[in-house]
Amino acid sequence: MGVDVKLDPVKDEARFYQLTLYAFNRQDTPQRQAFFGQLYRHSLAYGAIEDGELSSGFLAIPFETQFHQNRIPMRGISYVSSYPEDSGHGNITKLMHRFFEDCQADQVPLAYLAPFSFPFYRRFGFEQVFDRVHYHVQTRDVGKLALPDFAKTDEVSIKRESFAQAGPSIAAFHEAHPFNQGGGTIRSAWWQDYLTLKHATWEVATCLVAGKLEGYVIYSRDGNQQLSIQEFFWTSKTAYWQLLNFIARHKGTYAAFDYISGDPRPRIDAFSDPHVKKSMTATSEAYMMARIVDLPMFFKYYHVPTDRDFKLTLTVTDDFLPANNRTWQLTGQNGTIACQPTDDAAELTIDIRELTQILLGYRRAEDLMQLNLNTDQAAALNRLVQPNLVPMLWDYF
């Protein structure tokens, strides 16, 4: 078996595409060829070659993520695929080793992926970090929406466009929004084009207040059955209520409203009658995993409040990446955390998966049920974390 670290961006696209069609049981269509080609040509493709044939592989997509005001390079793993005759041969594991080596060489300290199996990817040091809330309600149970007085203004205008038309204009709004600063991605121009190619049925309603963009909804319409919402962002309560009213006005046309939100905090009070006997449900769903690839490099990008001065000696266990698997001296000063290897005795030990959950805001240290921390140890770990960090991810790859 040979491993092509980065498959050729021209000659290997077709056979990687065929691998994904087989592995994910997808139909070949001109639209799929278009959006897949856009993704492939902007990604790093890893593939296991046996007897000259591609047997397994995945794509690594370059992104920048946001954690409050910090931007951190990240690679999103996508289309992890194997032909059935190659399954279980360990080729994905070999490719993962090479992928992480490249991340470290290219100064990329973070990786995300959408798992088909959480236990499978925990072997590589990934852990659950992003959850979503799935809202569903039959429109018969959507009552009359009463706008607050402050939201009743002649200065409001709602504009409907296709996603292709509206995408560039809402990209900056999306990027700057607090919802996208808990690990969300920066949507570069090529990624915006990819989303447009992939989601040809998406539509956008923007809300302008006195000519200023203050919110938007991305949605799609499934015949008369369902209005599906992909994103709902707002920066003012007027825009929130106006867009909610826009959605509610579809209740005479569709049987149900559906929304899978990247914000893991349920907002069931948005519904006039969320009683259990009604059809409205808000279900928490596990979404994506993440892992810190290079701990010292991660802290070069990641900052905490400037009034946090501390020293912590921490043993990190990482079964897949030996470079992280050691004892570290963490020193916090003026908002920066220095991370240096040390031979000193550690104050506590933590696995890279649990440390990723803490640093990305998914769990506070005292809530990690795998660790039996005392109060001082939990407080020491929590000083490493940016305040009020709620992990949210709105893109799928």
Side-chain angles (χ1 to χ4, degrees):
M1 193 278 286
V3 175
D4 256 338
V5 179
K6 295 169 186 173
L7 299 178
D8 187 274
V10 177
K11 73 175 186 178
D12 289 322
E13 178 182 339
R15 61 177 176 173
F16 194 98
Y17 177 65
Q18 291 302 318
L19 169 62
T20 65
L21 292 179
Y22 193 100
F24 292 93
N25 194 26
R26 296 291 188 260
Q27 295 298 312
D28 183 14
T29 65
Q31 182 197 9
R32 182 171 294 278
Q33 290 178 22
F35 72 72
F36 181 87
Q38 172 79 347
L39 183 66
Y40 184 91
R41 289 186 291 273
H42 287 87
S43 302
L44 305 177
Y46 292 78
I49 311 296
E50 295 191 281
D51 298 325
E53 298 295 329
L54 179 66
S55 58
S56 297
F58 57 78
L59 298 181
I61 312 167
F63 287 106
E64 269 194 306
T65 59
Q66 299 185 112
F67 291 88
H68 294 322
Q69 302 307 310
N70 297 158
R71 290 192 175 189
I72 303 180
M74 180 272 289
R75 285 182 182 163
I77 295 177
S78 179
Y79 284 106
V80 180
S81 309
S82 295
Y83 284 116
E85 61 271 22
D86 188 58
S87 180
H89 289 186
N91 287 340
I92 294 298
T93 299
K94 295 173 184 176
L95 293 172
M96 282 285 183
H97 276 294
R98 198 57 183 267
F99 163 72
F100 287 131
E101 290 174 4
D102 285 351
C103 286
Q104 290 170 326
D106 295 340
Q107 301 287 294
V108 178
L110 200 57
Y112 293 175
L113 62 79
F116 71 88
S117 165
F118 282 82
F120 179 81
Y121 288 108
R122 286 190 178 111
R123 298 161 42 198
F124 308 125
F126 287 91
E127 190 48 83
Q128 181 177 348
V129 166
F130 297 102
D131 293 340
R132 305 189 297 182
V133 176
H134 186 175
Y135 301 91
H136 182 82
V137 62
Q138 298 294 312
T139 54
R140 66 172 185 269
D141 291 330
V142 176
K144 184 177 180 180
L145 186 68
L147 289 177
D149 288 341
F150 65 77
K152 300 174 183 177
T153 170
D154 293 335
E155 294 186 314
V156 169
S157 62
I158 303 291
K159 182 180 181 180
R160 290 183 298 103
E161 296 177 286
S162 70
F163 182 70
Q165 294 170 317
S169 66
I170 65 174
F173 186 93
H174 173 93
E175 179 179 315
H177 200 281
F179 283 179
N180 200 47
Q181 295 180 355
T185 62
I186 303 298
R187 289 177 174 169
S188 59
W190 80 263
W191 180 254
Q192 193 73 39
D193 291 342
Y194 165 78
L195 293 175
T196 301
L197 290 168
K198 186 174 183 180
H199 303 291
T201 62
W202 279 7
E203 300 174 71
V204 179
T206 54
C207 178
L208 287 82
V209 182
K212 179 185 176 184
L213 177 63
E214 295 191 0
Y216 71 84
V217 173
I218 301 175
Y219 63 99
S220 58
R221 295 175 289 149
D222 178 17
N224 294 110
Q225 295 303 306
Q226 188 162 283
L227 184 79
S228 297
I229 301 163
Q230 276 69 47
E231 290 180 17
F232 183 3
F233 279 38
W234 68 91
T235 55
S236 71
K237 291 182 180 179
T238 293
Y240 169 81
W241 282 105
Q242 286 286 343
L243 289 168
L244 202 62
N245 184 55
F246 171 81
I247 296 167
R249 290 186 178 190
H250 291 80
K251 67 181 181 179
T253 307
Y254 299 93
F257 293 148
D258 199 73
Y259 178 32
I260 301 180
S261 171
D263 184 348
R265 302 164 298 184
R267 295 179 181 271
I268 58 176
D269 58 330
F271 297 87
S272 60
D273 188 2
H275 195 278
V276 68
K277 292 184 179 180
K278 302 292 185 178
S279 62
M280 199 280 290
T281 58
T283 307
S284 180
E285 299 178 347
Y287 188 35
M288 283 207 187
M289 306 179 85
R291 86 103 79 204
I292 293 172
V293 176
D294 188 301
L295 194 60
M297 193 190 309
F298 177 84
F299 283 122
K300 289 181 180 179
Y301 293 95
Y302 186 93
H303 297 83
V304 293
T306 56
D307 60 354
R308 292 188 189 177
D309 292 342
F310 58 84
K311 285 188 177 181
L312 174 65
T313 306
L314 186 68
T315 293
V316 176
T317 59
D318 190 334
D319 294 335
F320 203 76
L321 289 178
N324 292 327
N325 190 52
R326 61 169 305 153
T327 300
W328 301 93
Q329 180 76 59
L330 304 180
T331 305
Q333 191 172 21
N334 296 324
T336 299
I337 300 176
C339 181
Q340 299 291 334
T342 181
D343 294 325
D344 294 346
E347 298 167 59
L348 59 102
T349 298
I350 188 170
D351 188 84
I352 191 67
R353 295 184 294 111
E354 283 73 48
L355 185 58
T356 298
Q357 287 187 313
I358 291 175
L359 292 174
L360 271 57
Y362 185 74
R363 287 283 181 262
R364 289 184 60 82
E366 60 268 24
D367 295 327
L368 285 175
M369 304 310 291
Q370 302 93 331
L371 299 178
N372 188 23
L373 302 173
N374 62 41
T375 302
D376 290 341
Q377 290 173 326
L381 284 172
N382 288 331
R383 281 195 290 272
L384 304 175
V385 188
Q386 292 183 352
N388 305 315
L389 189 61
V390 179
M392 299 186 201
L393 188 61
W394 301 86
D395 291 309
Y396 182 82
F397 38 83

